[in-house]
Amino acid sequence: MSGPSDIVSCANLAIGHGRKVIMDRLTFALPAGKILAIVGPSGCGKSTLMRALGGLDAPLGGNARLMGVDLAAADEAERQTILRRSGFLFQGAALFSSLTLRENIEMPMREFLRCPRKEMRQLAEYKLALVGLADAMDKLPSEISGGMAKRAGIARAMALDPEILFLDEPSAGLDPITSAGLDALILSLARETGTTFVVVT
C-alpha cells in the first residue's frame, strides 16, 4: 500500500509491448528520498517498467502513480506539471553535439524558467559542479569521455531541480572503474539533494 510520503507507487501493474505482457501484478511503493534499483538481464523489461513508473508509457493494466498522480489518466496540463518535476536520463547521454556542456544544461531552463540569462548560466555551472564537471563546462560532447557525458546527462536531468530522477542504464558501456565512480556519484547526489532516484541497471 502506498502512503503520503511515497513518490512512486503502483498497484497490480502490468507492462509490456502491444498485447504482450512482460511483467504483471506489480505492487510496491517508493518513499521520497530513496533509491530504487531495477536490476535484471537484457530484455526483461527494466526500461519498460521505468517508463511506466515515470508516466511516459501507459501500462497494460493496473496503475502507476508518480507524486500521487496516475499520469495515464491525468489531463495534459496535470501530466506536464508532474513531468516537469521529474528528470530523465535515457540510454546514452543524448547531449546536443553542437552545444557546450553548459549550454546543454541551460536548454531546459530556457524553455521552462523565467529568469535572467546570467542566473541560468550560474545554475547550469552549479549543476555541472555537482557532477564533477566544473572544469569541462565549455567543452563540446565530442571533447569529453563517455563517463563525463553520462555525468553531463545527469546534470541536464537535474536542471529544473526535479524531485525524482529516472536513469536508464547510466553505466552502460563504461569500464568498471568509471561505472563505480558513477554509482558513487548517484549515492552522493541522493544524500546531498534529497532527490529520489530510480535506476535501471
Side-chain angles (χ1 to χ4, degrees), residues 106-185:
E106 288 176 352
M107 281 295 290
M109 297 179 185
R110 291 180 191 173
E111 184 168 356
F112 296 111
L113 298 183
R114 294 174 181 261
C115 62
R117 183 71 181 271
K118 181 180 179 181
E119 188 173 329
M120 288 186 195
R121 181 187 177 103
Q122 292 172 338
L123 285 170
E125 291 175 355
Y126 170 69
K127 300 300 180 184
L128 286 166
L130 272 180
V131 299
L133 293 178
D135 296 331
M137 62 183 63
D138 293 320
K139 292 184 180 293
L140 295 170
S142 60
E143 299 174 322
I144 61 176
S145 67
M148 292 171 74
K150 294 293 180 71
R151 287 172 177 259
I154 292 174
R156 188 174 64 184
M158 297 179 65
L160 301 178
D161 292 325
E163 296 170 43
I164 184 168
L165 277 174
F166 294 89
L167 310 181
D168 194 0
E169 301 200 29
S171 58
L174 303 180
D175 63 80
I177 294 176
T178 304
S179 179
L182 198 63
D183 291 343
L185 171 66

Side-chain angles (χ1 to χ4, degrees), residues 31-151:
K34 300 294 185 180
I35 298 175
L36 171 66
I38 303 173
V39 183
S42 178
C44 73
K46 303 184 301 295
S47 297
T48 304
L49 175 58
M50 185 201 79
R51 291 180 65 87
L53 295 177
L56 299 180
D57 291 341
L60 298 182
N63 68 76
R65 292 182 175 273
L66 180 58
M67 302 178 210
V69 176
D70 181 353
L71 293 183
D75 62 40
E76 189 59 24
E78 187 175 31
R79 175 182 167 79
Q80 289 302 321
T81 297
I82 295 298
L83 289 178
R84 283 177 199 165
R85 294 164 60 193
S86 312
F88 295 87
L89 174 68
F90 300 103
Q91 293 183 27
L95 300 171
F96 294 103
S97 60
S98 61
L99 302 179
T100 66
L101 299 190
R102 188 186 66 249
E103 291 169 338
N104 265 281
I105 309 319
E106 288 176 352
M107 281 295 290
M109 297 179 185
R110 291 180 191 173
E111 184 168 356
F112 296 111
L113 298 183
R114 294 174 181 261
C115 62
R117 183 71 181 271
K118 181 180 179 181
E119 188 173 329
M120 288 186 195
R121 181 187 177 103
Q122 292 172 338
L123 285 170
E125 291 175 355
Y126 170 69
K127 300 300 180 184
L128 286 166
L130 272 180
V131 299
L133 293 178
D135 296 331
M137 62 183 63
D138 293 320
K139 292 184 180 293
L140 295 170
S142 60
E143 299 174 322
I144 61 176
S145 67
M148 292 171 74
K150 294 293 180 71
R151 287 172 177 259

